[in-house]
């Protein structure tokens, strides 16, 4: 049995799709939805108590968070700050199992799950969005773009795209015996 801790509902939906695409056993997975990044960094969160109580049946754990934007005043925002907070969290948990993490972001190490997903679009699609955003003249975050153009599609993304390689390898590690 493995544990995956993540921020929210859309993360679980993506993880289910990815595990299915990579033929990894979803039935061997305990999901822990923390309802936000700050809750993941809260070592007193009830999910960590649940995980600790289940350690006899959990072999490994993966924690997944968004990088967010390093210009956000929250100290755990941005790729570097998120990585530092995750390393501190893992050390503080003192679980006797291997724990790894993955930070969702685009190729510039910014953003969130939606930024990560949009990063695998081809250059023509990216240029189309860039042009649209410039013409629209309103702030459109990656989350809004994703929700407007891609959310309702069944599987719009190629899970074999190179931007999935690190996440794929971490998931494969998670399920290795």
């Amino acid at each position: 049995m493995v544990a995956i801790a993540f921020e929210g509902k859309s993360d679980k939906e993506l993880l289910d799709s990815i595990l299915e695409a990579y033929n990894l056993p979803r039935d061997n997975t305990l999901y822990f939805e923390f309802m936000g990044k700050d809750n993941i960094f809260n070592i007193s969160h009830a999910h960590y108590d649940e995980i600790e109580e289940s350690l006899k049946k959990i072999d490994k754990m993966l924690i997944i968070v968004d990088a967010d934007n390093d210009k956000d005043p929250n100290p755990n925002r941005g790729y570097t700050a998120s990585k530092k907070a995750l390393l501190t969290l893992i050390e503080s948990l003192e679980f006797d199992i291997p724990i790894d993490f993955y930070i969702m972001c685009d190729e510039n190490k910014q953003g969130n799950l939606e930024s990560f997903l949009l990063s695998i679009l081809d250059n023509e699609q990216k240029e189309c969005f860039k042009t649209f955003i410039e013409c629209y003249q309103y702030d459109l975050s990656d989350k809004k773009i994703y929700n407007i153009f891609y959310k309702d599609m069944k599987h719009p993304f190629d899970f074999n795209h190179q931007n999935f390689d690190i996440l794929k390898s971490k998931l494969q590690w998670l399920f290795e015996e």
Side-chain angles (χ1 to χ4, degrees):
M1 187 75 60
V2 300
I4 302 178
F6 52 90
E7 292 184 33
K9 180 182 174 184
S10 57
D11 297 308
K12 183 182 183 307
E13 292 169 4
L14 176 67
L15 287 166
D16 277 340
S17 297
I18 292 173
L19 293 179
E20 183 178 329
Y22 299 151
N23 294 316
L24 296 170
R26 288 183 301 183
D27 57 338
N28 247 11
T29 306
L30 294 174
Y31 287 122
F32 294 91
E33 181 181 337
F34 277 75
M35 303 299 292
K37 184 175 185 176
D38 294 329
N39 290 331
I40 287 180
F41 295 130
N42 177 2
I43 195 158
S44 300
H45 194 282
H47 280 329
Y48 290 124
D49 294 334
E50 292 174 51
I51 294 167
E52 189 169 30
E53 290 170 13
S54 302
L55 282 178
K56 289 184 178 166
K57 61 182 177 182
I58 296 174
D59 300 313
K60 295 178 186 174
M61 183 172 161
L62 182 65
I63 303 170
I64 300 174
V65 300
D66 294 341
D68 296 316
N69 188 321
D70 57 11
K71 294 183 181 16
D72 187 311
N74 185 305
N76 295 325
R77 299 303 189 260
Y79 186 89
T80 302
S82 296
K83 182 177 179 179
K84 182 179 177 186
L86 284 163
L87 292 170
T88 301
L89 171 69
I90 291 168
E91 186 177 313
S92 298
L93 287 172
E94 297 181 346
F95 291 165
D96 194 22
I97 58 170
I99 302 173
D100 199 358
F101 63 87
Y102 183 75
I103 302 173
M104 293 279 188
C105 58
D106 64 14
E107 60 274 359
N108 299 312
K109 297 200 182 284
Q110 294 286 320
N112 48 36
L113 166 71
E114 292 80 9
S115 306
F116 171 70
L117 291 173
L118 294 174
S119 77
I120 70 166
L121 298 176
D122 64 39
N123 289 336
E124 185 178 337
Q125 290 170 310
K126 288 179 184 177
E127 189 60 35
C128 182
F129 282 126
K130 181 180 174 189
T131 302
F132 175 77
I133 291 168
E134 289 169 1
C135 291
Y136 190 66
Q137 298 179 354
Y138 293 97
D139 184 32
L140 282 177
S141 67
D142 288 345
K143 190 172 287 233
K144 287 179 183 173
I145 291 171
Y146 174 81
N147 287 330
I148 292 168
F149 295 102
Y150 290 100
K151 187 175 184 178
D152 295 331
M153 297 178 74
K154 178 87 172 133
H155 291 288
F157 300 103
D158 175 9
F159 295 125
N160 292 314
H161 188 280
Q162 67 184 14
N163 289 13
F164 278 96
D165 288 351
I166 295 171
L167 178 57
K168 181 179 181 179
S169 69
K170 288 181 181 275
L171 289 168
Q172 289 170 331
W173 163 83
L174 189 65
F175 290 97
E176 285 176 349
E177 296 282 332

